[in-house]
Amino acid sequence: MAKLHWKRIVVKVGSALIAPHKAGCSSHFLLGIAHFIANCRAQGCQVVLVSSGSVAAGWHRFPEVNNPNVATKKAMAAAGQADMMATWDKLFDFPSAQLLVTHGDLRDRERYISIKETIFSLLEHGLLPIINENDAVTTDKLKVGDNDNLSAMVAAAADADALIICSDVKGLYTKNPNLDPNAKLIRQVSAIDERIYQMAGGATSDVGTGGMRTKIEAAEKAISHGVETVIVDGFDPDSFHQLLKGQNPGTLFSPFEKPMQEHLHWMTHTSQAQGELIVENDFEGDFEGEHTQLTSDDVVEVKGNFSVGDTVLVRKGDGTKLAKAKSNYSSCLLNFITEQEDPDFASDVQQKTGPIISDKNIAILE
């Protein structure tokens, strides 16, 4: 790691750093992070901050509640978001801007592009974008669920050079360092495979929603877009001193040498399949060809309800996932076509309407 060679970074801060005891926001652990962000900006490096903590920050506003239900947690998020933004504002001598998103925003291509444009405009005008999931209004169907994965999606949208994920441990260990004294810190990961995931345990904090596994998931999303990713101990100010010196204080995940194209990365890691197209187990279609087509003759079953333009998963009957793709047909029309006994009917429809999926909107799944 050369000394601060990045031009644009995303920093992810979790709930345990924002409101460590659910007693309101605390700047105790945020000072070092704020100092790091200020130094990065002073050196010409643009910064986007992904900050969890709205629920934890608002928890103390509901002292009579021990086990909050979903509606109360949304109310806590609404109350805590304002406190969290106020806390960050106090730590900076430059302006910031709040951007609340849901997975529904990110998986819709038009809204995703809108988010990109907003981030770029804020950075261009010298503001610090502070992004969080809109916990006050999101539903299970529309939420990302953890800000580790959200930060990776933001890093891709922002075309960042690096993603810094703050944890409550130094990085990825061979075993849980809180339980095994022989656990060793892994300084660098060149490829993420099942062995790496097996090393990732659950959350060690009772405040946040993400554990080490979600951080590995986020790293996998980010590095496939060419974003260098570092997991560091956010509670240790020395982590940020080392980063400013170009040193690796935690676990560094090396980015792909050949990153995925932007629209394919979005379809693979951000867009959510709204339905499935099931093909025969012996299906041998070439999705990597220049003239990829999927016809109704190939599709044996249509699952889910989706509209034209929605992302669908193409898989074999045995469960093998082949690709994610943009559907040129609605599930209603596809079901109608596949139920017809006249083979010429489907052929006539597809001659007029085109292929079910097109070659420019396919992400191959391996």
Side-chain angles (χ1 to χ4, degrees):
M1 295 176 64
K3 184 178 180 180
L4 206 61
H5 58 291
W6 306 310
K7 298 298 183 182
R8 182 179 300 143
I9 65 173
V10 173
V11 179
K12 186 269 174 179
V13 178
S15 300
L17 288 161
I18 299 288
H21 306 294
K22 297 180 182 176
C25 293
S26 170
S27 61
H28 181 72
F29 297 115
L30 304 183
L31 291 170
I33 300 172
H35 184 262
F36 170 72
I37 292 174
N39 271 278
C40 288
R41 287 169 55 94
Q43 294 185 41
C45 177
Q46 295 178 328
V47 182
V48 177
L49 176 60
V50 175
S51 177
S52 305
S54 59
V55 174
W59 199 290
H60 71 294
R61 304 290 187 187
F62 302 78
E64 74 286 354
V65 180
N66 293 320
N67 297 303
N69 57 27
V70 173
T72 303
K73 282 188 175 181
K74 291 179 184 294
M76 289 175 173
Q81 185 65 32
D83 289 346
M84 189 180 75
M85 284 299 298
T87 300
W88 280 119
D89 278 338
K90 292 176 184 177
L91 298 174
F92 299 124
D93 59 357
F94 45 81
S96 62
Q98 175 180 259
L99 182 57
L100 297 175
V101 300
T102 69
H103 196 273
D105 300 318
L106 292 163
R107 75 187 186 204
D108 180 277
R109 186 63 182 173
E110 186 174 347
R111 281 184 280 172
Y112 179 82
I113 297 299
S114 178
I115 291 170
K116 284 176 66 80
E117 292 172 345
T118 300
I119 292 173
F120 290 154
S121 182
L122 289 170
L123 293 173
E124 181 183 350
H125 290 84
L127 281 78
L128 171 70
I130 301 180
I131 302 175
N132 190 15
E133 186 157 19
N134 196 350
D135 293 319
V137 301
T138 191
T139 63
D140 287 341
K141 185 178 179 180
L142 296 177
K143 70 181 180 180
V144 177
D146 68 89
N147 273 14
D148 293 323
N149 278 288
L150 176 62
S151 68
M153 297 176 190
V154 169
D159 291 333
D161 303 308
L163 168 62
I164 299 169
I165 302 176
C166 297
S167 181
D168 52 3
V169 291
K170 284 186 175 297
L172 176 64
Y173 284 79
T174 53
K175 299 177 182 179
N176 189 332
N178 295 311
L179 301 176
D180 192 334
N182 295 318
K184 295 181 179 180
L185 176 66
I186 300 174
R187 285 293 182 180
Q188 187 163 355
V189 175
S190 56
I192 296 176
D193 52 24
E194 188 56 35
R195 182 180 63 89
I196 297 298
Y197 273 108
Q198 288 175 356
M199 295 178 188
T204 58
S205 167
D206 63 351
V207 178
T209 57
M212 186 55 67
R213 184 175 182 85
T214 63
K215 291 172 175 56
I216 302 301
E217 291 173 355
E220 186 171 23
K221 287 180 174 67
I223 63 175
S224 66
H225 196 268
V227 182
E228 189 173 54
T229 303
V230 192
I231 298 177
V232 303
D233 185 351
F235 292 87
D236 184 1
D238 188 56
S239 298
F240 305 103
H241 296 154
Q242 291 186 52
L243 285 170
L244 288 171
K245 294 177 182 179
Q247 299 171 356
N248 173 18
T251 301
L252 172 68
F253 295 82
S254 303
F256 283 17
E257 291 185 5
K258 294 183 178 180
M260 297 175 67
Q261 295 180 11
E262 193 274 338
H263 73 285
L264 294 180
H265 184 276
W266 171 81
M267 184 167 290
T268 303
H269 294 295
T270 303
S271 179
Q272 191 174 64
Q274 302 301 299
E276 296 183 352
L277 303 180
I278 313 300
V279 298
E280 296 282 4
N281 290 337
D282 58 356
F283 177 77
E284 296 182 353
D286 180 15
F287 289 127
E288 295 182 345
E290 293 184 2
H291 302 290
T292 298
Q293 288 194 5
L294 188 72
T295 69
S296 59
D297 292 336
D298 300 315
V299 179
V300 297
E301 186 179 0
V302 179
K303 290 190 174 184
N305 296 310
F306 52 88
S307 304
V308 175
D310 282 347
T311 300
V312 294
L313 174 68
V314 182
R315 69 171 177 85
K316 295 183 179 180
D318 61 10
T320 303
K321 297 178 181 179
L322 300 176
K324 287 174 73 177
K326 176 182 176 181
S327 177
N328 296 322
Y329 289 66
S330 68
S331 56
C332 181
L333 179 57
L334 280 176
N335 276 312
F336 179 71
I337 292 175
T338 56
E339 290 172 358
Q340 301 303 307
E341 296 182 359
D342 182 2
D344 293 332
F345 177 80
S347 178
D348 290 343
V349 171
Q350 287 170 104
Q351 283 183 359
K352 296 177 181 178
T353 316
I356 295 175
I357 59 176
S358 54
D359 58 318
K360 293 182 179 180
N361 294 290
I362 299 176
I364 310 300
L365 301 178
E366 298 180 356

